[in-house]
Amino acid sequence: MASSGKKKTTMAKLARESRLRERRLNKQAKKEARKQGASDHLASPGAAMNATTAETAQSGPGQDALEPAVQPPAEVG
């Protein structure tokens, strides 16, 4: 069986396939980067915990550091 000399795949199809391969490679690279970042994050959980608690402990300008959750009842007089 001799192969035909005529090309059967169009340039558009070849371009689509190459873009698809490139997207898959990029997706795999992002996935590996996320895994690497997660493992780095788990290696130092204390640093992440300190960063989040420091942000919530600070009060903004014009705010009291501690505001009472319940207001005392007004005196009836």
Side-chain angles (χ1 to χ4, degrees), residues 22-68:
E22 187 175 342
R23 281 196 307 261
R24 286 178 178 164
L25 288 173
N26 288 339
K27 184 177 179 180
Q28 184 66 28
K30 286 180 183 179
K31 183 178 180 181
E32 290 173 3
R34 281 194 308 270
K35 282 185 178 181
Q36 184 66 32
S39 65
D40 290 346
H41 181 69
L42 292 177
S44 60
M49 185 65 151
N50 290 339
T52 56
T53 56
E55 290 174 2
T56 56
Q58 296 174 354
S59 61
Q63 293 180 343
D64 293 333
L66 297 174
E67 295 181 15

